[in-house]
Structures are given as C-alpha cells and as structure tokens.
Amino acid sequence: MASNSTSDTNVTWFIYRGPDGEAVPRDVTHLRVHPSVTVIPAAAFHGRVKLQQVELPDGLRNIGEGAFYECHTLRNVKLPEGLQEIGEWAFGYCHKLSRMKIPSAVVVIFRS
C-alpha cells in the first residue's frame, strides 16, 4: 500500500487519492491531490478548517460542489490549466483565499 503522506522541509503533505482512498484527516494543513485524480467530488474537503495549501495535478478536470467549502485558512491554490469545471460554492467561505486565476479551459463555474 502506498503512503498517504510525504514530508517537505518540516511540512507533511497528505496525498488525496480519490474517494476510495484514505479519508482526509480533519486537521490536515497541506494537501496534494494525486495525479490519477481527475475529479474532486462534492464536499471532499469541506470543513478542513486548518487546511492552508493545496496542490492540484495537471490532469484534474472537475472540482465538485462545495469541495473546499469552509476551509477558512486555505491560502494557496493554483488551478491546473486543464481544469474544465468548478462546482457551486467550491471555495465558499475560504476567507484567506484572496486571489485565484481561473484557467481559460474552464467552461462551467458555479453551475446550479
């Protein structure tokens, strides 16, 4: 079984491998989405109030509704250029997230 965390310079990153992988800890601070993940399901990281930084893979195509909802301390997210859809309230109540560049490939944002 592959490890679900890595360490970089005193920071431990949790590796999210999709909905069938290990559950994301409530106190996670740094999150990497595994390159095999193309869709982040609705509410996947909802309420991870200590989450500060997220790394998303180039192959990611869809971020589900409320995926990062209420991740109050989330500061850094770089959306991959191939991203096509961002669900409703995907980044709702992410108070520390002040700017985000939306890739040109995104065709749906906040669908209802």
Side-chain angles (χ1 to χ4, degrees):
M1 177 186 257
S3 172
N4 280 330
S5 66
T6 61
S7 290
D8 293 342
T9 320
N10 299 324
V11 173
T12 299
W13 291 81
F14 180 84
I15 300 177
Y16 175 74
R17 297 180 185 278
D20 296 331
E22 183 179 334
V24 179
R26 300 298 298 171
D27 62 349
V28 67
T29 59
H30 292 73
L31 176 78
R32 280 190 182 126
V33 176
H34 192 271
S36 65
V37 175
T38 60
V39 174
I40 295 176
F45 313 115
H46 174 226
R48 298 315 193 272
V49 297
K50 294 182 179 184
L51 185 59
Q52 297 173 22
Q53 189 167 349
V54 173
E55 290 184 1
L56 302 173
D58 290 333
L60 186 68
R61 299 291 173 251
N62 180 303
I63 298 175
E65 182 176 326
F68 294 94
Y69 189 81
E70 294 184 329
C71 291
H72 300 296
T73 59
L74 183 59
R75 296 173 191 266
N76 297 316
V77 178
K78 181 180 178 204
L79 300 177
E81 286 301 318
L83 186 66
Q84 298 171 353
E85 186 172 329
I86 302 172
E88 186 173 13
W89 288 98
F91 295 95
Y93 294 99
C94 294
H95 301 298
K96 302 268 182 180
L97 189 61
S98 60
R99 274 191 241 183
M100 183 181 301
K101 181 181 176 198
I102 307 295
S104 60
V106 173
V107 293
V108 177
I109 302 176
F110 306 134
R111 77 169 189 231
S112 54

